[in-house]
Amino acid sequence: MSQKIQIEAKHRVEVGKGNTRKICHLEGLVPGVVYGLNKENSNIYLDAKTINLAMKTPEFHSHIIDLIIDGKSEQVVLKDSHIHPDKGYVRHVDFFRVKSDAIVKMPVPLAFLGESKAPGVKAGGIATHLFTSIEIKCLPSLLPENIEVDVSKVKLDGKVHLSELKLPKGVELATKISVDNDAAVFVIHSTRSSSSADDSADASE
């Protein structure tokens, strides 16, 4: 279950991109907006160093955030962010308000377990993570840190599909899985050397 992360902000009353950019540059701030739950949007500023550091942690992207705006707390999740394409720093963030009794949809990272023990890897195959995260839906209090994927028994050219993931109680995939959209999240591909080893083994038999 995820834990709340706390971060402070202050209301932004300036209008116009020019004014906002000037203030952000002079005071080391990043602009943002808070919306949702049929409330008026709140324009905010966050400390640039704080938000840039927070954005580097996976938890900030999939946890409930206790956003303190001028001393008043709001429960939010990160919905979107604009990152400078060359320099990599945060230019803008969007937060979405959540309620403790309302279902939320969030991307959650996948944690692949037992990869080195997988028969396919031991046979020389190459393991590939086709997904690094999946979107789930649940109550905010049930948001998991990650979704564990046991790949310790995957053989050469074997796969693990979305339908095979074991989700915590109360947690569901945001998109219903069917035969047509049951994508693989993990696969072990054969290499030339591993294929040759299999061919040699078959020939000797």
Side-chain angles (χ1 to χ4, degrees):
M1 229 177 268
S2 65
Q3 297 179 346
K4 292 179 184 177
I5 298 173
Q6 190 175 91
I7 191 168
E8 294 188 1
K10 61 182 181 180
H11 279 290
R12 171 165 54 97
V13 295
E14 293 77 22
V15 294
K17 291 184 177 180
N19 290 334
T20 299
R21 288 175 181 172
K22 183 177 180 180
I23 292 174
C24 288
H25 177 73
L26 293 175
E27 300 185 22
L29 301 172
V30 170
V33 64
V34 184
Y35 63 96
L37 296 184
N38 296 318
K39 295 181 180 179
E40 185 177 351
N41 291 359
S42 295
N43 296 314
I44 60 172
Y45 283 126
L46 302 105
D47 178 73
K49 291 183 179 180
T50 301
I51 189 63
N52 276 283
L53 183 61
M55 288 288 289
K56 293 179 180 178
T57 63
E59 295 82 3
F60 194 74
H61 297 258
S62 59
H63 283 50
I64 301 172
I65 300 167
D66 189 15
L67 184 65
I68 312 297
I69 306 175
D70 292 339
K72 185 178 179 180
S73 175
E74 288 210 65
Q75 305 305 301
V76 301
V77 292
L78 179 68
K79 267 299 183 182
D80 196 11
S81 61
H82 298 171
I83 309 297
H84 192 287
D86 298 320
K87 299 181 180 179
Y89 60 79
V90 183
R91 303 175 71 174
H92 190 277
V93 288
D94 292 359
F95 294 106
F96 183 77
R97 299 183 184 97
V98 297
K99 292 174 62 178
S100 60
D101 59 349
I103 297 292
V104 295
K105 292 183 179 181
M106 288 290 295
V108 174
L110 296 176
F112 296 92
L113 307 178
E115 190 171 311
S116 62
K117 299 178 181 179
V121 171
K122 290 184 176 180
I126 298 176
T128 303
H129 300 174
L130 301 175
F131 282 62
T132 57
S133 65
I134 58 170
E135 189 173 44
I136 59 155
K137 60 181 181 180
C138 64
L139 292 173
S141 61
L142 298 179
L143 278 171
E145 299 282 341
N146 53 52
I147 300 297
E148 294 184 348
V149 187
D150 183 1
V151 300
S152 61
K153 297 181 180 179
V154 181
K155 300 179 180 179
L156 276 175
D157 295 319
K159 300 177 180 179
V160 177
H161 290 85
L162 287 169
S163 61
E164 300 175 80
L165 299 180
K166 294 182 179 180
L167 303 177
K169 185 177 180 180
V171 177
E172 300 178 13
L173 292 176
T175 303
K176 188 175 181 179
I177 300 302
S178 66
V179 176
D180 296 326
N181 70 343
D182 190 11
V185 299
F186 178 86
V187 63
I188 298 180
H189 294 289
S190 298
T191 62
R192 287 185 178 180
S193 58
S194 61
S195 298
S196 298
D198 287 343
D199 292 340
S200 299
D202 291 340
S204 63
E205 291 176 0

